[in-house]
Each structure stands twice: as C-alpha cells, then as structure tokens.
C-alpha cells in the first residue's frame, strides 16, 4: 500500500514540528522539499506540502516542487509564519494554491499556525516565540486526519 507523503521546507525548524505531527497522524512518509524525488511523488493518495513563510512568500523551492507534482495529485497546504492576520495568510497560501491548480493538482485544504518570527529585524521582539507549540501540533494532526 502506498502511503501519503508529507513534504516540508523549514529554515528555522518551526515547520518541521508541524510536518512531523501531520505525517504521524496520516501514517505518512516524510520528506524535505530539497530532497524529494519524482519517483517518491508518483502514485501517492495524498501529499502535504508545507513551509514557513519567508519575507512574505513561500521559498522558491516550494513553488518549483508544486510544478513537479503529478497532475491529478490530491494535495493539502500547510504553513507557519510570524504573521497571524488571516488576510495575509490567505494571500500567502493563495499564491501557492494557484500554482498547484495550474499544475492540475486538487487542493483539498489549507492549514496555518503562527511560527516564531526569526527575521533579523523582528527576532528581538520575540513574535510567536515558542510556536508552533504542542497545541499547534495537535491541531495540525487533527486537520491532517480530517483529510483521510
């Protein structure tokens, strides 16, 4: 039986915790965006694609991966970011969602939680320090289980 796959990109470690919680909930394989091969993507019943938001967007590697997903894939998006405002989160995720839809991918859902903002100018403010926390990871697992 082919398992779901959760793919993530994380510069700071915040998104890793969320990806691990989702993968555990789905009994999925886990891969980093920079190491996943096309053969690992093929035939998956479900793919999670997530990353932190850096300088108000997903990193280029995530967009490139979105273009490589097999047409017809069933995908969910997850993000962490220093910004909590829903309008900004929707904007960040909408760019990736549009890219996935153009690639012929079915987007099943989107999930976000705050992450510790480690941008150089903002890090001293401690925005969302300690996030994602245990409750965030439990919420991520619940979201992922709901996609089965």
């Amino acid at each position: 039986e082919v398992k779901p796959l959760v793919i993530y990109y994380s510069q700071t470690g915040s998104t890793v915790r969320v990806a691990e919680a989702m993968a555990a909930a789905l009994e999925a394989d886990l891969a980093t965006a920079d190491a996943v091969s096309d053969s690992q993507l093929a035939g998956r019943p479900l793919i999670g694609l997530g990353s932190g938001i850096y300088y108000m967007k997903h990193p280029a590697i995530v967009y490139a991966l979105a273009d490589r997903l097999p047409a017809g894939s069933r995908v969910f998006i997850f993000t962490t970011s220093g910004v909590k405002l829903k309008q900004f989160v929707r904007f960040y995720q909408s760019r990736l969602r549009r890219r996935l839809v153009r690639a012929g991918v079915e987007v099943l859902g989107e999930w976000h939680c705050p992450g510790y903002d480690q941008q150089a100018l903002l890090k001293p403010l401690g925005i969302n320090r300690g996030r994602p926390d245990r409750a965030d990871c439990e919420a991520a697992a619940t979201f992922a289980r709901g996609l089965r």
Side-chain angles (χ1 to χ4, degrees):
E1 180 185 338
V2 180
K3 293 180 174 184
L5 176 64
V6 175
I7 309 165
Y8 69 92
Y9 178 80
S10 182
Q11 289 180 358
T12 63
S14 292
T15 309
V16 175
R17 294 193 298 275
V18 170
E20 289 172 343
M22 290 179 161
L26 292 168
E27 299 177 11
D29 293 327
L30 189 62
T32 60
D34 56 350
V36 69
S37 67
D38 289 344
S39 64
Q40 287 175 288
L41 299 173
R44 298 288 180 159
L46 179 65
I47 297 173
L49 179 58
S51 79
I53 299 295
Y54 306 100
Y55 301 99
M56 299 179 58
K57 63 184 181 217
H58 287 88
I61 192 168
V62 173
Y63 292 116
L65 181 57
D67 294 339
R68 288 177 41 213
L69 293 177
S73 295
R74 299 172 68 239
V75 176
F76 66 91
I77 298 168
F78 61 98
T79 55
T80 60
S81 71
V83 175
K84 290 189 254 186
L85 290 173
K86 285 190 183 344
Q87 301 92 306
F88 285 112
V89 172
R90 277 197 292 272
F91 173 70
Y92 303 147
Q93 290 179 332
S94 70
R95 285 179 174 170
L96 182 57
R97 183 181 349 95
R98 280 195 307 273
R99 188 87 167 238
L100 289 164
V101 168
R102 273 199 310 267
V105 167
E106 181 184 359
V107 179
L108 301 179
E110 300 168 26
W111 188 88
H112 170 269
C113 82
Y116 178 33
D117 196 325
Q118 298 187 48
Q119 185 204 14
L121 295 174
L122 299 176
K123 189 173 181 177
L125 300 176
I127 298 170
N128 301 321
R129 187 184 313 272
R131 304 285 297 273
D133 57 21
R134 184 180 304 157
D136 294 323
C137 290
E138 288 171 6
T142 299
F143 168 81
R145 275 191 293 273
L147 294 171
R148 277 202 168 142

